[in-house]
Amino acid sequence: MPITPRHDRRTEAFQQAEADHDIRAQELELRANTEPMRQTQVLTIEAPLHRMAAAEYLHPGGTRTAKVA
């Protein structure tokens, strides 16, 4: 094993600690963003279904009567 100066070992340790911190921060950000993304996906899928169901309830059979003025 080559002998490395103390400064190099400190620099290496600092860089490793910084990289570990960055990875933890990215993981936390990913977790924080995952649930809102899931909710957005669910709402994107379900909202049109609810609108279609409401329209069918209000106008069974899909017939809409328009008033002619």
Side-chain angles (χ1 to χ4, degrees):
M1 181 173 196
I3 299 174
T4 57
R6 186 180 299 180
H7 176 349
D8 288 348
R9 287 190 302 241
R10 276 194 225 146
T11 301
E12 187 177 299
F14 176 79
Q15 288 174 342
Q16 183 64 49
E18 192 174 42
D20 292 343
H21 174 268
D22 290 346
I23 289 172
R24 282 191 300 274
Q26 288 174 353
E27 288 173 349
L28 287 172
E29 187 175 353
L30 179 63
R31 278 192 223 126
N33 290 334
T34 299
E35 188 56 32
M37 284 299 293
R38 281 188 187 135
Q39 291 174 356
T40 301
Q41 182 180 15
V42 166
L43 291 173
T44 301
I45 292 169
E46 289 184 359
L49 297 176
H50 288 291
R51 281 195 298 271
M52 288 177 1
E56 180 64 26
Y57 176 76
L58 295 173
H59 306 284
T63 58
R64 295 182 182 211
T65 56
K67 288 187 175 181
V68 178

